[in-house]
Amino acid sequence: MTNKPKKWFMLTIAVLLVASVLTACSGNANNNPDNASTTDKPDNTAATEEPKKDPVTLKIELFDRNNTPAGADPITDNFFTKYIQENFGDPNNIKIEWVTVPRSEEVDKLNVLMAANQAPDLVFTYDTATVERYVKDGGITDLGPFIEEHGQNLKKLLGDEVLSYGVFQDKQYAIVAKRVIEAQISTFIRQDWLDELGMPVPKTTEEFYNTLVAFKKAKPDAFPYGGQTDYFHMSPLRYSFWEWDKITEEDLYANPDWIMPGNKEGFRFLNKLYNEGLIDKDFPLGIGKDTNQFQKNMVNGLVGAGSTNTNEPVYMGYLAEMTAAHPNAKLTVIDPFTDSRGKTPKPVYTPNGIYIIVPKTSERAAEVVKYLDWMSQPENIIRLQNGTEGETFEMVDGVPQTLNNETAQNLLYNYFDYCIILNGKYVSNDDNMLNIAANASDPLHKDFTVASIDSGTKDGVTKARVLKPIESEIKLGTQLRKKAEEDMFVKIITASPENFDAVYDAEVEDYMKTGGTEVMEEKRAAYEEQYK
Amino acid sequence: MQPLSHADRSNKQKLLGHARGILGDWQLYFLLALPLSYFIIFKYVPMLGVAVAFKDYNVFRGIWESEWIGLEAFREIFQMDAFLYALRNTFLLNLLDLVIGFPIPIILALLLNELRVKWFKRSAQTLLYLPHFISWVVIGGMAVQLFATNSGSVNVFLNSIGIESIPFLSEKTHWVLTYVGTGIWRDAGWGTILYLAALTGINKELYEAAEVDGATRLRKMWHITLPGIKPTIVILLIINVGHMASIGFERPFLMGNPGVSDVAEVISTYVYTVGIQSARYTVATAIGLFQAVIGLIFLLTADFISRKVNDQGIW
């Protein structure tokens, strides 16, 4: 008799344990693929087999830039997502599900999602080598037939040239976003600091250096050249040191930047800036991780000059934040990095933007194209880039102007992540001046936008386009890029001046040895095959 | 059917006996089944994925459809300088962790054991192991806030009293020290738990006898406490040495930055670069497998030496 209750007790405990472990496991399994996002629904395939009146689920990737202002709606449930659901989803019996991916881990996350067969139906990347690899491995869908059937508006908007960038192995594996503005990088300076010191706007690299030194002297706590200190945003400075008369089209396409004549001097200059405390000593801590630190410095009024994505201070809203905190602050766009020919060479974009692709495992290619086609209609472009007329923008001479209010600030900080077929605000196919005007969306800083785009386009350089995929680059590209843009960039700039030459030469030699030469030679062969 | 021989019969009876034993204690076996299935499902089944290291793995075709390439991936990794550096750094950081970090929990445990005031001992213990529950993501962020050369609080303070900034995170030697230090701060207190448990097992009479003989506190520590927890120390040392070749991902990744990659790039972060970022799964798996083999060698060696020297091992 006494034994029985004990037995039941044990059994209960055993069952409870099993149950708790099992629930814990299943909970884990669901959370694993993508924590803090909306992918947790394992049943999208089930939905497709059910009767037609149930909506199909369309999963769409969405960049999370971690820049949502306090008080704003989450990026997966705001005006834009509701507008898309109501105007595209509901009429077509589609339920839209957003899958967020951290902006700075774009390729990593995509690789994991693709490998785990859990990629959303619509994914995208800026990385050409990644797309080429997926094509080679047979992992993505040929969208050509779907565009023919459902994509007439899309074709009209993008045009043949832009679409051709999405063709790999003669098939339209990717849909490429159209770039409205070619300018990549622009540099600004604090005009009020210049005025305070009675200095002119710097017009050459040397004047720029002298200005930074003066800034440092006058404001010891500031970051004189404190913009985004990374490989990409230092391109105008680096390019200005290159000896362009010795560089052919083929060199520009095939050579790594490191062996360009003059590149070493560009880094010597950066090394000098670092060792004299003219750029943020902590810049290595943010590379590849926190890209927002400089925005905080800027809002705190600590940045004297900086190079950023063209017009980014306006469209990311931190220029407005800075002027709110420091009413006297005024930025002037400058373009001081001049080469021996007196030009200001800098990279500019080709007309293609992000690659939009559909994984082969997805059964929703038709819906994806329908979605992009719907997005291409002028009315939807306006809404997805500007919000609601009267609430967040008003039309002035056919160009949407953002209203200076909280609703607009809380909505438009990531508008570019919804209307993914366009990079940059867009109103007209024919008149690019109208588009520039549209990108000057903040009426208070219209001049800044226009000047940024002008200066970011001036003497722009693009590399030749070679159609053949470069096998060694698909294989080694990511590692080489990490080496170049993170490790080498930091090590060479932070070296002591005495060691600079030794560090630079050793690093470049190592780079060429670990694949740099292999990629360069394959690129040369491919270039010659196509152009000679 | 042939009639059962005597031996067979007794075997059968034995089996029946076992079966009866299992049936009798089925609740206990049922409980055991859980951890066992955990190990099979999450530790043994994934081992089949090791096949990736020997195949030209194409994620879209799957493991079994991809082609075999033999030892090609291993040939490749041994030609990579970056891999050899990562291997060296892994050993370097782990060795420092071991040499500096291993004795500290022992010392802490001895000190805690000597405390007489109960409430103080308890709260000191809790405070010591609280950092263990802070994730590396948070610690990485804290490290930047505290130790950044320009804006870190520590350096801001040093500057304010006229001392120059110390490049805790941007210079190699300083970085290694910061790395080891944060590790100790986070985990030393937690490490004391096992030793404290072992300490409770020491016979109190030994202390009383020593007291009668007039032994000082230090003498008692040296001759009673330390020998008392020696088996625990040895086992933990073996386990730690076994982990020499493996290193967690979060700590080096979050603490590191491109400026110190010469010492901060370790196997786990390298696998991340090669495997996840470049999607070269074959090479990444080969590195992982190689790392496991090295780890096994270390574990067996440590166990062997410990058996010779101490007559104690893990089996």
Side-chain angles (χ1 to χ4, degrees):
Chain A
M1 276 304 276
T2 49
N3 217 3
K4 252 196 173 163
K6 206 173 166 189
K7 245 186 176 171
W8 276 111
F9 179 66
M10 291 278 281
L11 183 66
T12 320
I13 289 199
V15 168
L16 273 178
L17 246 172
V18 175
S20 69
V21 168
L22 285 183
T23 48
C25 284
S26 60
N28 266 341
N30 269 347
N31 286 333
N32 261 343
D34 194 351
N35 42 8
S37 85
T38 48
T39 46
D40 293 356
K41 283 208 164 170
D43 56 356
N44 74 318
T45 43
T48 67
E49 287 148 18
E50 280 160 23
K52 212 191 157 224
K53 60 184 173 184
D54 279 341
V56 295
T57 306
L58 181 65
K59 294 189 181 184
I60 299 175
E61 179 179 345
L62 177 66
F63 276 151
D64 183 354
R65 293 173 199 261
N66 197 15
N67 65 340
T68 308
D73 291 331
I75 56 173
T76 52
D77 184 19
N78 61 11
F79 164 78
F80 292 125
T81 63
K82 282 176 198 141
Y83 181 79
I84 291 166
Q85 181 62 50
E86 280 161 22
N87 293 281
F88 169 73
D90 294 347
N92 291 294
N93 202 27
I94 291 170
K95 187 179 168 301
I96 310 271
E97 208 177 290
W98 300 94
V99 180
T100 57
V101 167
R103 174 67 186 91
S104 54
E105 289 163 37
E106 177 219 323
V107 176
D108 318 358
K109 197 78 188 208
L110 183 59
N111 278 337
V112 173
L113 288 171
M114 292 290 264
N117 270 342
Q118 283 171 337
D121 301 302
L122 185 165
V123 293
F124 40 73
T125 177
Y126 280 107
D127 190 42
T128 314
T130 298
V131 180
E132 285 174 340
R133 197 179 62 243
Y134 291 153
V135 169
K136 186 177 139 232
D137 288 352
I140 51 181
T141 309
D142 173 14
L143 296 172
F146 296 101
I147 297 175
E148 280 312 312
E149 197 178 334
H150 305 291
Q152 292 317 310
N153 290 310
L154 184 64
K155 270 173 87 173
K156 200 170 130 208
L157 174 73
L158 298 181
D160 290 339
E161 195 204 343
V162 173
L163 268 175
S164 77
Y165 280 92
V167 175
F168 296 90
Q169 298 179 357
D170 298 327
K171 284 188 181 146
Q172 189 84 44
Y173 278 111
I175 293 172
V176 182
K178 182 189 182 96
R179 269 202 197 275
V180 184
I181 305 290
E182 288 173 9
Q184 236 175 25
I185 302 159
S186 306
T187 305
F188 61 78
I189 199 161
R190 283 283 291 267
Q191 182 65 46
D192 51 318
W193 291 16
L194 287 177
D195 295 345
E196 206 180 305
L197 298 170
M199 296 186 83
V201 174
K203 293 218 161 49
T204 63
T205 313
E206 203 192 330
E207 285 175 30
F208 181 66
Y209 170 74
N210 293 335
T211 313
L212 297 185
V213 172
F215 280 179
K216 177 85 190 167
K217 220 169 159 188
K219 299 177 190 293
D221 286 340
F223 306 109
Y225 188 35
Q228 268 160 306
T229 312
D230 57 36
Y231 189 81
F232 176 76
H233 293 98
M234 290 297 123
S235 304
L237 192 154
R238 291 189 291 118
Y239 277 28
S240 76
F241 281 87
W242 289 7
E243 296 163 36
W244 286 91
D245 42 354
K246 293 185 194 157
I247 299 170
T248 64
E249 275 286 304
E250 185 176 341
D251 292 339
L252 187 65
Y253 164 72
N255 285 4
D257 289 0
W258 301 102
I259 61 167
M260 292 297 188
N263 190 59
K264 190 175 177 181
E265 296 316 305
F267 272 90
R268 197 189 299 283
F269 181 71
L270 279 167
N271 180 274
K272 183 164 89 169
L273 295 185
Y274 173 82
N275 281 303
E276 294 181 12
L278 301 175
I279 50 182
D280 185 0
K281 287 253 184 212
D282 289 329
F283 85 90
L285 303 182
I287 284 184
K289 284 180 190 154
D290 176 12
T291 51
N292 293 335
Q293 182 59 43
F294 107 90
Q295 297 181 21
K296 290 172 203 151
N297 293 341
M298 181 127 171
V299 173
N300 290 332
L302 292 172
V303 175
S307 300
T308 66
N309 292 340
T310 296
N311 202 29
E312 187 190 87
V314 171
Y315 67 71
M316 295 275 271
Y318 55 84
L319 177 55
E321 267 186 79
M322 185 190 76
T323 36
H326 303 268
N328 293 329
K330 191 174 173 300
L331 296 189
T332 295
V333 175
I334 56 172
D335 197 9
F337 306 117
T338 36
D339 65 8
S340 53
R341 306 166 300 175
K343 287 191 173 180
T344 55
K346 56 183 80 67
V348 291
Y349 287 116
T350 43
N352 57 319
I354 205 162
Y355 295 98
I356 299 165
I357 52 180
V358 177
K360 201 149 233 174
T361 48
S362 163
E363 291 160 5
R364 302 268 161 269
E367 283 82 356
V368 166
V369 174
K370 279 186 199 164
Y371 171 60
L372 297 176
D373 191 67
W374 169 84
M375 190 187 282
S376 310
Q377 295 165 17
E379 189 209 330
N380 294 326
I381 293 176
I382 299 274
R383 297 300 301 274
L384 288 176
Q385 294 195 325
N386 300 285
T388 309
E389 189 163 6
E391 279 179 37
T392 56
F393 77 98
E394 56 183 6
M395 282 303 230
V396 180
D397 302 332
V399 173
Q401 290 282 315
T402 306
L403 293 172
N404 186 16
N405 63 25
E406 203 181 342
T407 323
Q409 276 159 20
N410 279 352
L411 178 65
L412 297 177
Y413 61 91
N414 77 333
Y415 75 83
F416 32 83
D417 290 327
Y418 297 98
C419 193
I420 46 174
I421 44 162
L422 290 167
N423 280 64
K425 285 206 180 177
Y426 186 80
V427 276
S428 165
N429 248 333
D430 317 311
D431 186 357
N432 208 38
M433 281 319 288
L434 276 182
N435 291 330
I436 291 179
N439 280 282
S441 51
D442 186 339
L444 287 177
H445 301 291
K446 190 175 175 194
D447 296 342
F448 180 84
T449 302
V450 175
S452 294
I453 294 172
D454 268 357
S455 113
T457 323
K458 189 171 162 256
D459 300 332
V461 176
T462 51
K463 296 185 178 181
R465 187 177 172 210
V466 172
L467 295 174
K468 194 177 169 198
I470 308 297
E471 292 285 335
S472 56
E473 196 172 39
I474 297 177
K475 198 171 92 177
L476 301 168
T478 314
Q479 266 165 279
L480 282 174
R481 193 163 53 243
K482 181 172 185 267
K483 185 174 175 61
E485 301 186 0
E486 299 187 5
D487 298 358
M488 292 172 73
F489 181 76
V490 170
K491 276 181 211 163
I492 291 170
I493 293 179
T494 59
S496 65
E498 316 78 80
N499 283 341
F500 173 80
D501 282 287
V503 173
Y504 188 93
D505 294 342
E507 287 293 330
V508 173
E509 196 196 321
D510 194 46
Y511 177 89
M512 297 308 285
K513 208 180 79 189
T514 52
T517 312
E518 194 183 335
V519 173
M520 179 175 75
E521 277 164 7
E522 197 183 335
K523 276 182 154 180
R524 281 200 182 282
Y527 181 92
E528 273 159 32
E529 196 178 305
Q530 185 170 338
Y531 289 97
K532 278 172 190 170
Chain B
M1 278 267 133
Q2 283 183 358
L4 291 170
S5 71
H6 184 71
D8 274 347
R9 200 164 291 154
S10 80
N11 261 345
K12 207 178 172 195
Q13 266 164 3
K14 241 188 209 164
L15 272 176
L16 271 174
H18 282 308
R20 236 173 256 136
I22 290 177
L23 280 178
D25 296 325
W26 69 271
Q27 293 100 334
L28 295 178
Y29 284 93
F30 190 52
L31 282 174
L32 184 67
L34 273 178
L36 211 60
S37 53
Y38 164 81
F39 277 103
I40 291 171
I41 295 170
F42 292 107
K43 300 285 174 185
Y44 284 89
V45 173
M47 278 188 203
L48 297 175
V50 159
V52 169
F54 306 97
K55 290 191 153 206
D56 182 14
Y57 180 47
N58 177 332
V59 287
F60 304 111
R61 289 168 67 189
I63 297 178
W64 305 118
E65 296 288 308
S66 302
E67 277 159 45
W68 292 99
I69 52 162
L71 295 173
E72 193 54 48
F74 291 90
R75 232 165 269 143
E76 192 181 335
I77 61 174
F78 286 113
Q79 282 166 2
M80 293 196 278
D81 287 344
F83 166 71
L84 297 175
Y85 283 126
L87 191 64
R88 184 202 68 186
N89 293 338
T90 307
F91 283 125
L92 175 84
L93 293 180
N94 278 338
L95 189 73
L96 283 171
D97 259 352
L98 188 70
V99 171
I100 306 175
F102 187 74
I104 290 183
I106 303 175
I107 298 169
L108 274 179
L110 290 180
L111 294 177
L112 283 171
N113 191 46
E114 294 301 317
L115 289 174
R116 288 288 168 263
V117 188
K118 268 261 166 62
W119 66 264
F120 183 76
K121 182 177 169 180
R122 290 245 167 103
S123 40
Q125 213 174 318
T126 312
L127 281 178
L128 277 172
Y129 66 64
L130 265 185
H132 177 79
F133 300 100
I134 304 178
S135 120
W136 277 112
V137 179
V138 178
I139 297 178
M142 283 162 63
V144 171
Q145 296 295 325
L146 288 172
F147 298 131
T149 312
N150 253 345
S151 50
S153 318
V154 173
N155 279 321
V156 169
F157 171 73
L158 288 179
N159 291 341
S160 74
I161 57 168
I163 302 175
E164 261 193 50
S165 291
I166 300 170
F168 289 109
L169 296 173
S170 18
E171 196 273 327
K172 287 175 212 163
T173 322
H174 284 96
W175 182 83
V176 170
L177 293 177
T178 315
Y179 173 89
V180 173
T182 45
I184 290 173
W185 174 76
R186 181 180 187 264
D187 288 327
W190 181 253
T192 59
I193 289 182
L194 278 175
Y195 296 117
L196 287 170
L199 282 171
T200 57
I202 298 174
N203 193 344
K204 290 274 179 294
E205 288 173 15
L206 292 172
Y207 289 103
E208 285 158 16
E211 216 149 292
V212 172
D213 290 345
T216 60
R217 267 197 176 194
L218 278 178
R219 281 274 154 217
K220 278 190 275 179
M221 267 194 203
W222 186 253
H223 290 291
I224 301 171
T225 319
L226 268 182
I229 58 171
K230 198 175 95 182
T232 317
I233 297 179
V234 171
I235 297 272
L236 285 181
L237 187 65
I238 296 174
I239 292 174
N240 273 320
V241 170
H243 287 159
M244 277 298 274
S246 65
I247 191 160
F249 171 74
E250 292 98 332
R251 188 171 162 207
F253 179 75
L254 291 161
M255 296 289 296
N257 63 69
V260 294
S261 60
D262 279 349
V263 287
E265 180 87 290
V266 293
I267 290 189
S268 55
T269 54
Y270 189 63
V271 166
Y272 173 71
T273 312
V274 175
I276 307 289
Q277 295 189 311
S278 316
R280 303 189 64 206
Y281 303 104
T282 299
V283 175
T285 313
I287 295 175
L289 184 59
F290 175 74
Q291 182 185 12
V293 172
I294 303 254
L296 186 66
I297 294 172
F298 265 92
L299 187 70
L300 293 178
T301 320
D303 184 57
F304 177 77
I305 295 172
S306 151
R307 261 171 216 285
K308 288 273 170 234
V309 178
N310 263 326
D311 215 26
Q312 275 166 344
I314 27 176
W315 290 289

